[in-house]
Amino acid sequence: MAHLRILLAVTALLVLTAIPASAHTELAETVPAEAEEVADPPSEVRLTFTAALQPGSTPEVSVVDPNGDDLVAAPPTVDGVEVIVPLNLAVTPGVHTVEWAVTAVDGHPLSGSYAFAFTPPADVATPPVPTATTTATATPTPTASASTPPAPSPSEVDLAADDGGVSGLWVVLVSVAAVAAAGAVVVTRLRNPDQHG
């Protein structure tokens, strides 16, 4: 009976220690997350696994945009349980597909894929078009200035014209009278030369 108990204890111990060793490494977390919609283009993709990957192994990762272009900018790096993939910034809105293949620490190959969406805000993707109301400028209406003298009325124009005509007439009449008087003096002297000798 005692031997049976020892045998059962040893068997249970072997089973408990074998479970972690036989468990496979799995993908635990991604950044961006699966099915996530990101407003800003990610500069990198991060894949986090449940256990460390095989040292010296080279992960294979692609990040393909809606145009079919791979955005991976440099080879991925491994940091413990994490794979870091630098990217060229996404410029095409839509679904981006991540495909990956790594090697677990026990030599077991792992691979998979997931997708996230790049959805920039509408005001960034399509700049607003200015409307006519925002670009039109009002034409100022001319107003009467206090320093500008008022225009003369027709009656004032007529009076000014009449005054100018009368003044001009007086000048002509005076000039004619002066010429006539001078002429009379000359004639008188010519007729009576002895009186002025």
Side-chain angles (χ1 to χ4, degrees):
M1 192 68 175
H3 294 290
L4 181 59
R5 289 179 181 176
I6 294 174
L7 181 60
L8 290 176
V10 171
T11 303
L13 181 61
L14 291 175
V15 170
L16 291 175
T17 55
I19 289 177
S22 62
H24 291 300
T25 303
E26 296 179 352
L27 181 63
E29 184 182 3
T30 64
V31 178
E34 183 174 4
E36 181 181 1
E37 293 185 359
V38 294
D40 297 320
S43 60
E44 63 183 16
V45 163
R46 289 178 176 261
L47 309 175
T48 304
F49 294 86
T50 56
L53 302 179
Q54 189 177 68
S57 64
T58 303
E60 296 180 4
V61 183
S62 66
V63 181
V64 180
D65 71 4
N67 293 330
D69 297 326
D70 191 350
L71 301 182
V72 174
T77 58
V78 178
D79 183 11
V81 299
E82 194 171 55
V83 175
I84 305 168
V85 189
L87 301 179
N88 295 314
L89 293 182
V91 295
T92 305
V95 176
H96 290 59
T97 303
V98 180
E99 295 185 353
W100 55 270
V102 298
T103 303
V105 70
D106 58 0
H108 185 76
L110 304 171
S111 63
S113 66
Y114 77 97
F116 67 90
F118 171 47
T119 55
D123 58 347
V124 173
T126 306
V129 178
T131 60
T133 56
T134 58
T135 58
T137 56
T139 302
T141 302
T143 56
S145 174
S147 61
T148 304
S153 64
S155 59
E156 291 174 340
V157 172
D158 294 339
L159 290 175
D162 292 343
D163 291 343
V166 171
S167 300
L169 182 58
W170 275 111
V171 170
V172 172
L173 292 176
V174 170
S175 299
V176 170
V179 171
V185 171
V186 171
V187 171
T188 302
R189 287 183 176 181
L190 289 177
R191 288 180 179 178
N192 302 303
D194 296 336
Q195 295 179 0
H196 303 278

